[in-house]
Amino acid sequence: MGPKAIEKKRKVQDPEPESDDEIAPDFDGALSQSEDEFDSDFDDNEHEQDGEQESGSEASDDEDEEGSLLSDDIPSDAEGDKAMGKLVLEDEEEELKIEIPGVDPKRPEKDDGEKNYRIEKDANGNERYVYDEIDPVYDSDDSDAQEAPNTIGNIPMSFYDSYPHIGYDINGKKIMRPATGDALDALLDSIEVPKGWTGLTDIHTGNPLNLNDDELELVRRVQMGMIPNELENPYPETVEYFTGIEEKMPLSAAPEPKRRFLPSKNEAKKIMKLVRAIREGRILPYKPPEEREKEEEEEEQYFDIWQDEVPQEVNPLHIPAPKLPPPGFDMSYNPPAEYLPTKEEREEWEKLDPEEREKEYLPQKYDSLRKVPGYGEVVKERFERCMDLYLAPRVRKNRLNIDPNSLLPKLPSPSELKPFPTVAQTVFRGHDGRVRSVAIDPTGVAVASGGDDGTVRVWELLTGRQVWSVKLSSEEAVNTVRWRPAKDSFILSAAVGEDIYLMVPTHASVTPALDQASRDILSAGFGYATNGQQHGAAPGKEPPAKWARPGAKLEDEGVLIRITVRSTVKVINWHRKGDHFATVSPSGQRSSVAIHTLSKHLTQIPFRKLSGLAQTASFHPLRPLFFVATQRTIRCYDLQKLELVKVVQPGAKWISSFDIHPGGDNLIVGSYDKRLLWHDLDLSIRPYKTMRFHSEAVRQVKYHKGGLPLFADASDDGTLQIFHGKVPNDQLENPTIVPVKVLKGHKVVNKLGVLDMDWHPREPWCVSAGADGTIRLWM
Amino acid sequence: MDHPTESGAQVRVTFTTQEEDIQLDESKRQLLVPADIRRYGLSRILNSESMLDTDSIPFDFLVNGSFLRGSLEEYLNANGLSLETNITLQYVRSLIPPTYEASFEHDDWVSAVDVLSATSPAGRWSGDNFQRGQDRILSASYDGLLRIWDASGNVIGTSPSGSHGGHTASIKAAKFLSSTQIASAGMDRTVRVWKYTESGESYERRGELKPTLELYGHTSSIDSLEVDGASKRILTASADGSIGFWTTSKASAPEVSDSSLLPGAHTSKRRKLTTSVTAAQRGPLALMNIHNAPATAAVFDPRDRTVAYSVSQDHTVKTIDLTTSSVVSTFTTSHALLSLAALPRSSASAPLLACGTSARHITLVDPRTSTAATSVMTLRGHANKVVSLAANPENEYSLVSGSHDGTCRIWDLRSVRPATKDEGGMGSVSEPVYVIERESQQGKKKKSGVTGDGCKVFSVVWDQLGIFSGGEDKKVQINKGRGVNAE
């Protein structure tokens, strides 16, 4: 067992040194082939080191072995192994090849002298080698040695057909033929196919040749088109042999190549070329002096960007830049002793955070100026000084310290200001196309409207029932409708193109008496008309307007008078007493504003010349004043003295409408530039308040005339805005203006929203005329 | 007492009622009931033999002023009360949701509806003359015609057109005086009294409307008309702000004082309407110009026919003594008033006045001068002007309102809550019990953001036959009212 143990030990111990020894030379060669000479040098060095280490380890190994076993064989064995390293490897390979016979031919050689067999005499008296049973050592390669195969060699098995055995094993023992079942067994076998059954028989052993599990798995995998070996990874992780990452530390520590220290012959050649060219005059090393002068001249062109600057006047509130304090003793390089910090002060200063320090420096004493070092904080100090200058205020500004909320006026909440209209309650449908104008009659029962379809309609206010209608024109739109503001009559005026119609919309609810009274009022002036024209208008001049009957057809409908003026009338406004009304036709040059007298059928042009295009005009509700709005201003004229009283300048670009407060001292103006302006006529010609709450032009503005502190505006954004506007009785107080409600409902059609609106004479209700063809009652 | 004895808590309840005929014995009023019991269960308990022993009257239960909608337990939880609380349940005859029955189609907007039945005022006034089963419905339309319908929706009679003695403009109000007499008024400023006769077999009745009287006096559209068949008096409210008081008897009616009101007084071309039928023209017994804005409704006191109440857009309710034609008292509210109904009260001498406002609610006014607060209660829920009101003919606490928002709403005055701060914080507020939509608007998309656009209700009447409403959708809609007012 002794040698076996040794052998075992060697096998256990050897692998490390063996492999190291073997692999290293092989590697070196392989590398040296691809590497530079320098690298191989480097490797050689390394190898030497390795060798040393190895010898050390070998020595220790030797010692160990000597100490433990005291055997002579071992060093030689090891040496032999070392020398034959490659051979051993080859042996193993060979072993693999010859495995199938099961005999290791080299084994006897390896066990120099030691015999692992004994010689016996066989049946014929010849020598026969009987080998020892192989001890299946754990690590031995014989672990997978197969059971003793048949040793009969390559002869047909039929030779043994007549014998009970089928051959001999390696020890010469007969291999008996396995018992074969009878036909029934064979049949059963064929029916009940065992796992891995192939139907073949191993000729050498006579056993059925079945496939084991691994083989079956292999077959299955091949059939499935998979990779036969389960363990093999078909997609191994790629090993990045070459990468773009530049290593910071080079793997190679090779010394600088020699060529880096030698002058380059190639460069010398190039230089010689240049030298030769200079010598031959092909290249000029410097520019000729004249040329250089020229260039210099060109370069010296500077521009004074401040040449045109005019010295600015110094702002009276200018503050000169803050000055630095002059240096004191503590800044001296040789300060008096009392300025020098004590040890505690120094420590304290050092402990403080740099930002918290009182001074940036500590006074220091030097023997002479020559010994003063550079000041380390100079850059930081300069930078901070620059920042101070940059951020220092240059002009004194008086800042108000007022809470912004306190500036907001204290407005009452809308819910306290009820009643005001909040929702649309009735929709008046019937107009074809835009409704341009709407008006509630003085009794508050009927609504009149006029629109693009050329009709004037009268509706019942609460139910939205149309009770009367007349078609005044088939081509032109009704621009405006207004009721005569007196309860003793039921007269409606409407403007279509250049015609103004006066009508009595007699529906069933109008009593014959009222109807007759209205007709009488209208026709009373016919006698005057002829007289008036005779002496009123200058001979040869066309009268400003023609008062006439509109024809039998319209007269039957209740339209009684047609007044034809020179240009399209856009606005009608009645005097409160109902005898006069003013019309405005913005396109009419001189005759844009006209005042008509109903009782005399007389039309007068009050202005020979008007600065600007007249937009709208209105009578003062109490006094004999007349207001005319041009695009930018509103002028107030005294009708008795016939003089200009006041010019109101709302500051709007284009006034669309205005309305005078029933109290007479306030005015609201709507403008096409989206603004609503409140004027206090006594206070100023400028607006008291400007409200810019609409997103589109404001078309119409109206005060509530029935005693409620309300006013509203209608806008092209499809909304009406309702405001609470209380004018106090006390002249000293300012009016309270609170927006209370936005009435939404009208659709915007072709960028036109609400075109006109009117208040109910008593209730907080209003009606609006929309470009969407509807009139709405809001309450 | 076989109410289900399920597991769970029990609550002690005390049943009370204000209705005399269904009072419980003193001993039976206190009861332990399961906490998860609902209205139906409680109603069954009350109807059981041991309690009232009635034939299943459906009951509703008022707890602390509001109707019990869920279980008792839910009510207790919602109000943070413990199960130990003794709950006082006031049981009332149940209101059953009014179900849609029929619609009568018209050519134009329907402005007024009235009913002639055994239980309607006109039926009672006509006494024995009224034959049972001859229920008639009167509708007035904006096309100027009155139509008489039978209960199955056939037009029996139509009033003549304007050229034949009928109204020359839209009719705004019409009422049965008796089974043979009808009064109507409208935008042509006249009140007309018609004689109504029927002929033919029961399956093919033909009615005839003959103008008997034309009453002149108002100078503007007459918006409302109220009749008293017993004394043959008519009360009208006109947009000229006056209240007219008329008689239907030709003999006692005075002559027209202001002849300018008569047609043909002025011979303008359009006025020359030749009428083939001429009715007698009479003036008012009294014309009281007491409102300075359009008067919108006037009613008789349900008990004392010499007292009338009127409302106007000038925000006032006025009590009028008809014998002297003078205003007794005036109550000013904060909104324009558009409709009026008098709810009789057994407990007080004066009725409760329900006034529909333009501000979308109904104000209840106690017209007695002695009361401190004029506005008793506010009924909120409508989304548009309330233009018609009718009291339940059978009790004192429910009414129906018609509004321009296209709904009729039924209110129960017993269900009350105090007003929130948004609503002014004063008085008490009630909400509708049921809402009757216009059947013609079912499934229609709203054209505009205005509620009731195209389906305004102009008139509503409550009779035992049902709730009749007419409106802008040109229909008279009938909703079953039988169950709504209990047996």
Side-chain angles (χ1 to χ4, degrees):
Chain A
M1 285 300 279
K4 266 184 199 167
I6 292 160
E7 195 180 274
K8 196 166 123 192
K9 183 158 179 72
R10 193 196 71 202
K11 277 197 176 169
V12 174
Q13 279 188 344
D14 274 355
E16 242 187 308
E18 219 176 56
S19 65
D20 255 14
D21 257 17
E22 270 172 11
I23 292 164
D26 277 359
F27 250 108
D28 284 350
L31 285 172
S32 65
Q33 278 172 8
S34 63
E35 294 277 347
D36 291 3
E37 39 186 291
F38 302 105
D39 287 342
S40 70
D41 283 353
F42 171 68
D43 265 7
D44 280 351
N45 290 345
E46 200 177 53
H47 184 64
E48 275 169 24
Q49 283 177 352
D50 275 5
E52 278 168 20
Q53 277 176 3
E54 246 166 60
S55 62
S57 67
E58 250 172 60
S60 66
D61 268 5
D62 288 354
E63 278 170 17
D64 272 357
E65 274 163 29
E66 268 173 320
S68 59
L69 291 167
L70 292 170
S71 155
D72 294 338
D73 292 343
I74 297 153
S76 64
D77 220 58
E79 263 172 43
D81 266 3
K82 233 195 227 175
M84 306 276 289
K86 218 165 186 181
L87 208 100
V88 173
L89 199 72
E90 273 167 19
D91 278 0
E92 279 170 6
E93 277 168 14
E94 237 173 288
E95 232 175 62
L96 288 171
K97 280 179 197 160
I98 324 166
E99 233 170 15
I100 301 150
V103 186
D104 188 353
K106 296 290 185 292
R107 204 167 278 275
E109 279 180 22
K110 267 190 159 180
D111 302 331
D112 314 292
E114 280 280 339
K115 287 173 181 167
N116 58 349
Y117 57 88
R118 60 184 189 275
I119 301 160
E120 285 179 4
K121 291 246 172 135
D122 67 354
N124 301 328
N126 295 332
E127 276 188 346
R128 183 169 179 267
Y129 300 96
V130 177
Y131 292 86
D132 292 343
E133 287 291 316
I134 294 165
D135 182 21
V137 190
Y138 176 72
D139 261 354
S140 86
D141 282 331
D142 302 327
S143 58
D144 53 353
Q146 292 184 341
E147 62 175 295
N150 208 339
T151 55
I152 55 172
N154 190 13
I155 56 164
M157 287 304 287
S158 53
F159 290 4
Y160 285 89
D161 280 353
S162 52
Y163 299 102
H165 60 278
I166 54 168
Y168 305 92
D169 65 6
I170 194 143
N171 291 327
K173 283 178 183 162
K174 280 177 185 171
I175 300 169
M176 297 311 291
R177 189 183 297 278
T180 50
D182 53 4
L184 191 65
D185 279 344
L187 182 69
L188 284 172
D189 280 351
S190 68
I191 291 165
E192 213 173 301
V193 179
K195 199 178 174 193
W197 181 83
T198 56
L200 301 173
T201 310
D202 188 350
I203 48 165
H204 295 296
T205 59
N207 290 329
L209 195 61
N210 288 355
L211 299 176
N212 62 18
D213 283 352
D214 289 345
E215 286 161 341
L216 281 173
E217 176 66 13
L218 187 87
V219 169
R220 191 188 68 80
R221 289 180 75 88
V222 169
Q223 278 176 339
M224 297 292 285
M226 293 157 76
I227 291 154
N229 188 355
E230 200 175 4
L231 301 171
E232 190 181 345
N233 183 3
Y235 309 107
E237 297 238 329
T238 47
V239 179
E240 299 224 1
Y241 294 104
F242 306 100
T243 73
I245 302 161
E246 197 176 318
E247 298 292 341
K248 278 190 186 139
M249 298 286 286
L251 288 172
S252 158
E256 291 274 279
K258 194 180 175 184
R259 61 168 180 268
R260 302 211 178 140
F261 305 103
L262 289 177
S264 165
K265 282 179 181 169
N266 192 28
E267 281 171 9
K269 242 186 208 171
K270 283 180 184 168
I271 290 164
M272 276 317 293
K273 225 183 204 173
L274 290 172
V275 168
R276 227 170 280 135
I278 291 167
R279 275 185 194 154
E280 287 168 13
R282 278 183 285 133
I283 299 175
L284 289 176
Y286 307 106
K287 281 182 184 167
E290 313 93 58
E291 214 173 294
R292 224 187 301 164
E293 271 173 30
K294 252 189 219 169
E295 268 181 25
E296 275 172 14
E297 275 173 19
E298 276 170 18
E299 277 171 20
E300 280 175 8
Q301 277 187 353
Y302 300 119
F303 298 96
D304 181 8
I305 58 169
W306 290 288
Q307 62 186 356
D308 297 331
E309 187 154 279
V310 184
Q312 277 184 326
E313 255 182 65
V314 179
N315 191 311
L317 292 173
H318 175 76
I319 303 172
K323 277 181 182 165
L324 282 177
F329 285 119
D330 59 341
M331 279 185 177
S332 164
Y333 76 97
N334 189 11
E338 64 265 30
Y339 286 97
L340 288 171
T342 60
K343 201 181 172 188
E344 292 92 60
E345 279 172 346
R346 180 181 296 275
E347 270 174 12
E348 204 185 326
W349 185 86
E350 274 163 1
K351 246 190 256 170
L352 277 175
D353 195 75
E355 281 183 8
E356 288 172 3
R357 286 171 188 164
E358 208 171 300
K359 277 189 278 184
E360 298 282 312
Y361 57 90
L362 276 182
Q364 262 179 306
K365 190 185 168 88
Y366 299 98
D367 293 340
S368 64
L369 194 57
R370 188 164 45 81
K371 288 180 180 172
V372 177
Y375 182 46
E377 299 287 299
V378 68
V379 175
K380 193 184 163 211
E381 234 169 52
R382 286 296 92 196
F383 175 74
E384 280 177 359
R385 171 69 180 158
C386 288
M387 291 299 283
D388 286 349
L389 290 175
Y390 175 64
L391 295 173
R394 293 303 164 84
V395 172
R396 190 172 287 117
K397 270 188 182 169
N398 290 327
R399 186 175 286 176
L400 292 172
N401 192 17
I402 298 172
D403 179 20
N405 287 327
S406 69
L407 292 174
L408 289 173
K410 283 192 176 58
L411 292 178
S413 85
S415 58
E416 292 166 16
L417 302 174
K418 281 176 179 175
F420 51 83
T422 51
V423 282
Q425 298 279 250
T426 310
V427 182
F428 303 75
R429 292 174 198 280
H431 271 292
D432 185 19
R434 292 195 278 267
V435 187
R436 293 207 177 199
S437 182
V438 69
I440 300 183
D441 84 321
T443 59
V445 174
V447 183
S449 67
D452 271 7
D453 54 1
T455 60
V456 171
R457 290 161 199 255
V458 177
W459 315 76
E460 200 178 37
L461 177 71
L462 288 180
T463 56
R465 176 86 185 179
Q466 182 185 316
V467 292
W468 188 83
S469 98
V470 66
K471 195 165 183 70
L472 293 176
S473 165
S474 50
E475 291 130 33
E476 282 178 292
V478 177
N479 282 320
T480 178
V481 290
R482 288 291 176 266
W483 293 94
R484 181 172 177 260
K487 290 189 184 180
D488 62 343
S489 68
F490 198 64
I491 294 171
L492 182 65
S493 58
V496 183
E498 292 158 8
D499 298 329
I500 304 154
Y501 291 93
L502 297 176
M503 60 200 91
V504 183
T506 304
H507 59 93
S509 311
V510 181
T511 56
L514 183 63
D515 177 48
Q516 195 56 47
S518 306
R519 283 162 190 270
D520 289 347
I521 287 169
L522 286 183
S523 49
F526 273 114
Y528 269 92
T530 44
N531 299 337
Q533 267 181 21
Q534 273 169 3
H535 58 78
K541 257 192 177 178
E542 201 189 330
K546 218 166 72 190
W547 292 63
R549 298 244 181 230
K553 202 181 162 197
L554 282 174
E555 275 178 65
D556 269 357
E557 301 281 336
V559 184
L560 297 173
I561 289 178
R562 179 172 62 201
I563 308 161
T564 311
V565 295
R566 288 175 198 159
S567 51
T568 308
V569 176
K570 293 276 187 189
V571 176
I572 301 177
N573 269 319
W574 282 82
H575 186 256
R576 67 181 188 282
K577 284 182 182 161
D579 194 24
H580 302 278
F581 63 97
T583 59
V584 178
S585 25
S587 55
Q589 300 292 329
R590 274 183 201 164
S591 58
S592 58
V593 180
I595 296 178
H596 309 265
T597 311
L598 182 61
S599 58
K600 294 179 183 172
H601 286 198
L602 182 67
T603 300
Q604 289 160 300
I605 309 288
F607 304 108
R608 286 271 167 272
K609 205 173 76 182
L610 203 67
S611 55
L613 290 174
Q615 296 298 312
T616 173
S618 178
F619 292 95
H620 191 275
L622 303 171
R623 280 175 284 163
L625 297 173
F626 186 60
F627 289 80
V628 177
T630 58
Q631 282 185 350
R632 300 230 174 181
T633 59
I634 298 171
R635 287 152 195 275
C636 173
Y637 298 91
D638 190 321
L639 287 175
Q640 284 172 340
K641 294 179 192 162
L642 299 173
E643 61 179 19
L644 182 66
V645 178
K646 191 173 276 183
V647 180
V648 179
Q649 289 177 324
K653 281 181 190 139
W654 194 328
I655 294 167
S656 63
S657 57
F658 72 92
D659 196 21
I660 305 159
H661 190 268
D665 288 335
N666 292 281
L667 187 77
I668 43 171
V669 181
S671 78
Y672 288 111
D673 53 353
K674 308 167 190 177
R675 280 186 281 182
L676 173 65
L677 310 119
W678 177 293
H679 279 271
D680 193 326
L681 291 176
D682 294 340
L683 209 65
S684 160
I685 58 162
R686 294 277 167 198
Y688 161 66
K689 199 147 234 176
T690 302
M691 283 154 281
R692 209 181 300 217
F693 300 144
H694 280 293
S695 58
E696 293 295 334
V698 175
R699 288 260 165 195
Q700 182 66 280
V701 291
K702 278 270 167 75
Y703 278 110
H704 192 275
K705 303 277 166 45
L708 291 167
L710 290 170
F711 65 98
D713 62 347
S715 163
D716 270 350
D717 60 9
T719 63
L720 292 112
Q721 286 180 356
I722 310 293
F723 296 83
H724 175 91
K726 193 172 181 72
V727 178
N729 294 326
D730 185 0
Q731 293 284 328
L732 296 172
E733 262 180 89
N734 282 328
T736 327
I737 300 168
V738 186
V740 288
K741 186 75 189 175
V742 178
L743 302 177
K744 289 179 193 161
H746 279 294
K747 288 190 193 82
V748 178
V749 180
N750 290 333
K751 294 194 174 176
L752 292 175
V754 188
L755 300 179
D756 195 9
M757 62 86 50
D758 196 15
W759 284 99
H760 190 273
R762 291 181 307 272
E763 298 292 331
W765 304 342
C766 64
V767 287
S768 59
D772 56 358
T774 63
I775 304 157
R776 278 159 198 259
L777 166 66
W778 309 85
M779 60 202 301
Chain B
M1 223 173 300
D2 55 346
H3 59 263
T5 51
E6 285 155 36
S7 65
Q10 293 205 319
V11 185
R12 179 166 292 280
V13 295
T14 310
F15 290 111
T16 63
T17 189
Q18 290 179 340
E19 291 170 54
E20 294 296 328
D21 52 335
I22 48 171
Q23 289 284 3
L24 274 171
D25 285 348
E26 198 72 51
S27 57
K28 292 177 180 171
R29 289 189 184 164
Q30 294 241 340
L31 206 62
L32 267 175
V33 296
D36 57 351
I37 197 162
R38 287 165 181 278
R39 186 203 68 81
Y40 182 64
L42 287 165
S43 187
R44 273 182 55 191
I45 293 173
L46 272 183
N47 278 312
S48 63
E49 285 176 28
S50 55
M51 297 292 279
L52 284 171
D53 194 14
T54 50
D55 331 323
S56 60
I57 302 171
F59 286 110
D60 260 322
F61 297 89
L62 280 161
V63 195
N64 202 7
S66 62
F67 281 109
L68 182 70
R69 290 297 179 210
S71 68
L72 276 179
E73 198 169 15
E74 283 164 15
Y75 166 78
L76 289 172
N77 287 339
N79 289 280
L81 299 170
S82 77
L83 289 168
E84 316 274 307
T85 321
N86 192 347
I87 304 174
T88 306
L89 289 173
Q90 185 190 345
Y91 59 94
V92 295
R93 286 193 166 90
S94 184
L95 292 175
I96 292 168
T99 49
Y100 170 73
E101 284 197 333
S103 282
F104 298 168
E105 296 254 7
H106 288 68
D107 297 336
D108 208 337
W109 299 2
V110 180
S111 56
V113 184
D114 197 20
V115 189
L116 174 68
S117 72
T119 49
S120 74
R124 279 185 268 117
W125 291 323
S126 42
D128 297 336
N129 294 339
F130 179 73
Q131 294 167 327
R132 260 196 114 64
Q134 282 196 1
D135 298 333
R136 294 290 178 263
I137 296 147
L138 168 69
S139 69
S141 172
Y142 268 82
D143 58 6
L145 301 180
L146 294 167
R147 291 178 180 79
I148 313 278
W149 308 74
D150 66 8
S152 48
N154 301 314
V155 181
I156 294 175
T158 308
S159 72
S161 64
S163 56
H164 296 87
H167 279 285
T168 55
S170 305
I171 304 173
K172 296 291 278 288
K175 282 259 164 37
F176 277 110
L177 272 159
S178 70
S179 60
T180 57
Q181 211 170 22
I182 289 165
S184 66
M187 289 173 79
D188 61 357
R189 312 178 311 281
T190 58
V191 181
R192 281 163 206 259
V193 183
W194 309 79
K195 186 175 168 55
Y196 174 64
T197 48
E198 280 189 11
S199 58
E201 294 304 312
S202 61
Y203 52 87
E204 204 183 330
R205 305 284 294 183
R206 280 277 145 252
E208 199 188 351
L209 278 164
K210 246 190 205 160
T212 56
L213 208 55
E214 287 177 24
L215 301 169
Y216 290 89
H218 281 301
T219 57
S220 189
S221 166
I222 300 169
D223 290 338
S224 155
L225 175 141
E226 180 77 12
V227 294
D228 179 33
S231 58
K232 308 215 163 165
R233 293 289 187 270
I234 300 173
L235 208 53
T236 55
S238 163
D240 61 8
S242 57
I243 304 296
F245 185 48
W246 320 77
T247 177
T248 61
S249 89
K250 233 181 268 185
S252 58
E255 289 298 316
V256 183
S257 53
D258 183 2
S259 61
S260 72
L261 291 170
L262 299 175
H266 296 275
T267 52
S268 73
K269 270 184 202 168
R270 291 188 68 236
R271 300 261 138 218
K272 278 184 183 166
L273 293 169
T274 48
T275 49
S276 56
V277 186
T278 47
Q281 296 171 336
R282 291 291 183 271
L285 288 173
L287 195 65
M288 295 155 277
N289 204 342
I290 52 176
H291 290 288
N292 46 24
T296 46
V299 294
F300 287 105
D301 187 307
R303 286 190 187 163
D304 183 359
R305 294 289 168 174
T306 62
V307 175
Y309 304 99
S310 70
V311 292
S312 157
Q313 283 188 35
D314 64 4
H315 304 191
T316 58
V317 185
K318 287 183 195 270
T319 311
I320 305 162
D321 182 6
L322 291 175
T323 49
T324 58
S325 312
S326 59
V327 176
V328 178
S329 57
T330 302
F331 307 95
T332 307
T333 64
S334 51
H335 300 284
L337 303 174
L338 302 177
S339 55
L340 176 66
L343 306 175
R345 281 189 296 186
S346 53
S347 56
S349 57
L352 200 59
L353 297 180
C355 311
T357 68
S358 65
R360 302 167 280 282
H361 53 73
I362 300 162
T363 305
L364 293 176
V365 174
D366 191 335
R368 290 173 296 173
T369 42
S370 55
T371 51
T374 49
S375 177
V376 179
M377 199 193 290
T378 311
L379 310 180
R380 288 178 191 276
H382 273 299
N384 209 328
K385 304 176 282 280
V386 182
V387 293
S388 182
L389 290 165
N392 188 333
E394 291 171 348
N395 59 36
E396 300 170 1
Y397 44 78
S398 55
L399 72 154
V400 66
S401 63
S403 158
H404 280 185
D405 65 2
T407 61
C408 296
R409 286 170 202 246
I410 295 170
W411 312 82
D412 193 313
L413 303 186
R414 296 168 300 186
S415 166
V416 184
R417 63 170 170 79
T420 63
K421 209 176 176 194
D422 289 345
E423 296 159 346
M426 297 272 284
S428 46
V429 168
S430 181
E431 268 151 23
V433 185
Y434 295 115
V435 179
I436 305 171
E437 304 274 351
R438 293 310 278 181
E439 203 63 24
S440 58
Q441 296 299 309
Q442 293 290 328
K444 275 194 198 171
K445 270 202 173 172
K446 282 194 174 167
K447 286 183 281 187
S448 63
V450 183
T451 51
D453 188 20
C455 61
K456 300 183 191 84
V457 174
F458 291 130
S459 173
V460 64
V461 173
W462 196 343
D463 185 69
Q464 284 195 349
L465 285 180
I467 293 167
F468 299 78
S469 53
E472 196 184 1
D473 58 358
K474 303 178 183 176
K475 286 187 176 69
V476 169
Q477 181 174 324
I478 305 172
N479 286 76
K480 188 170 162 59
R482 189 77 194 164
V484 181
N485 26 308
E487 323 275 301

